[in-house]
Amino acid sequence: MSIRPVPLALALLAGLAAAPVPTAFAQDPSVMSCAQLWHRKNAVRKARGFCFTEAQAIRTFGNEGCTVHDPNRVPLTSADRQLMARIVIAQKMKLCR
């Protein structure tokens, strides 16, 4: 019996599938469309005070009350980080732009 290597993205997705997801973000990113993934990712950023520069994000979420200008400095909870990692993997697997 031989062991087949599992692609990294699938291994990560499988590992994260068991991670707890906050109730407000319960839908599994692997079944979401690219548009839904974009919205969910930016909704998390908005909730954590991110100031958007992309016109579509500003139209959708606005910048009222924003305090964080660097996307790498958005203060995410552990659950947020897990969700964002799952979203990024799903976006890559679906070839979202």
Side-chain angles (χ1 to χ4, degrees), residues 53-65:
T53 57
E54 180 186 325
Q56 180 182 357
I58 294 169
R59 280 192 306 274
T60 304
F61 298 101
N63 272 334
E64 185 177 330

Side-chain angles (χ1 to χ4, degrees), residues 76-93:
L76 300 174
T77 66
S78 177
D80 290 340
R81 281 190 297 280
Q82 290 175 2
L83 176 61
M84 294 294 260
R86 294 175 71 205
I87 289 170
V88 168
I89 290 168
Q91 286 175 318
K92 287 180 180 178
M93 291 179 73

Side-chain angles (χ1 to χ4, degrees), residues 31-43:
V31 299
M32 297 170 73
S33 70
C34 288
Q36 290 171 318
L37 291 165
W38 177 89
H39 194 276
R40 179 63 48 82
K41 185 177 185 178
N42 285 304

